[in-house]
Amino acid sequence: TASQISSMPLLTMHSQQISWTPLLLLGYLFYLLLGAMVFQLLEKQAETHFRDQFQLEKLKFLQNYTCVDRQALEQFVQVLMEAWEKGVNPEGNSTNPSNWDFSNSFFAGTVVTTIGYGNLSPSTVAGQIFCVFYALFGVPLNLAFLNQLGKALNAHLLTLERWVQKPGRAQVVQTLAVAIFLTTGTLLFLVFPPLVFSYVEGWSYGEGFYFTFITLSTIGFGDYVVGTNPNKQYIPVYRSLTAIWIVFGLAWLALVFNVGADLMERYLQLKLHKSDLSLAEGDTTKLEDEPEQPRIHIPS
């Protein structure tokens, strides 16, 4: 019937949307497996080299200091590892500033932003319980704040677009506004900060850039953290300024990720729409080519 024919595109679109789900899932799993394979190829040999080098250094230490046996050395290494896990740098001493000073709000920022470097964590039961409830309310608060900050940045983009907009140039102006947004944000949050971190922390530019992106993307491995070198004297507001940079950088990079996700969704929808049109045209051609079936009148 006519109603059945008119509902066919809707049914086709619904089935096509369902078919995209396993395809997207397979693509996601393939991306994870590809990453695991590439990381294995790049890092496994270096890990083996460092492990062998560490074992060699322990043997040299035991040979030079015969009064220390292997068991005592292993126990001392275990103590060092536990100290590192508790946020105590083994290279420091008791005169180093505490990681839990009131002026050091860096840890609280890593909790609510879900960065979680892992180099510092509460060791008391009371601190761990408080951290749970602090994150329970702090993470939504941080998301709401970043959402409002992102809306403010987006509003400035719209204002810029209306300010320079001329008849017939809407697409050009929109592209220009996005280009300015991406370029300015890249310079402020990804290009210039590694220069500062390289100067202050003694890192290479590549290490500073790596730390910058890993932090702003909230991946937060914890292999590089600012203000933790016991051999350096930091200004008191260094980590506080870094926390401010993190907040605005998170908002900017979140917008960039949202734009990227939106472009991917539009691409999938475009492919879906094209496939639906081709299917609909094929169904219409079939209906037009089929001869009209004779009507059978059943006498009453």
Side-chain angles (χ1 to χ4, degrees), residues 88-107:
V88 178
N89 195 323
E91 295 179 352
N93 50 52
S94 59
T95 61
N96 287 333
S98 173
N99 290 314
W100 302 104
D101 288 341
F102 180 76
S103 60
N104 187 6
S105 58
F106 194 74
F107 174 77

Side-chain angles (χ1 to χ4, degrees), residues 27-42:
Y28 182 73
L29 293 176
F30 172 77
Y31 194 75
L32 293 179
L33 293 176
L34 177 64
M37 182 182 65
V38 173
F39 281 123
Q40 179 182 5
L41 293 175
L42 295 176

Side-chain angles (χ1 to χ4, degrees), residues 11-12 30 43 60 85 96 113 115 117 233:
L11 293 175
T12 303
F30 172 77
E43 298 294 333
K60 289 182 179 179
E85 292 174 356
N96 287 333
T113 57
I115 295 176
Y117 286 118
Q233 294 292 331

Side-chain angles (χ1 to χ4, degrees), residues 126-142:
Q128 293 170 350
I129 294 176
F130 174 76
C131 184
V132 170
F133 287 97
Y134 183 75
L136 184 64
F137 294 98
V139 172
L141 178 63
N142 177 72

Side-chain angles (χ1 to χ4, degrees), residues 22-95:
L23 183 62
L24 190 61
L25 177 61
L26 290 176
Y28 182 73
L29 293 176
F30 172 77
Y31 194 75
L32 293 179
L33 293 176
L34 177 64
M37 182 182 65
V38 173
F39 281 123
Q40 179 182 5
L41 293 175
L42 295 176
E43 298 294 333
K44 187 174 183 179
Q45 185 176 0
E47 179 196 32
T48 303
H49 171 73
F50 288 134
R51 183 184 292 116
D52 295 341
Q53 188 69 24
F54 180 68
Q55 296 297 330
L56 182 61
E57 291 296 329
K58 287 197 298 184
L59 289 176
K60 289 182 179 179
F61 183 86
L62 291 174
Q63 291 174 357
N64 293 331
Y65 301 93
T66 55
C67 59
V68 179
D69 59 1
R70 175 176 291 273
Q71 184 177 1
L73 179 61
E74 295 293 342
Q75 291 177 352
F76 182 68
V77 171
Q78 184 66 29
V79 171
L80 292 179
M81 294 179 61
E82 292 177 356
W84 180 262
E85 292 174 356
K86 298 300 181 182
V88 178
N89 195 323
E91 295 179 352
N93 50 52
S94 59
T95 61

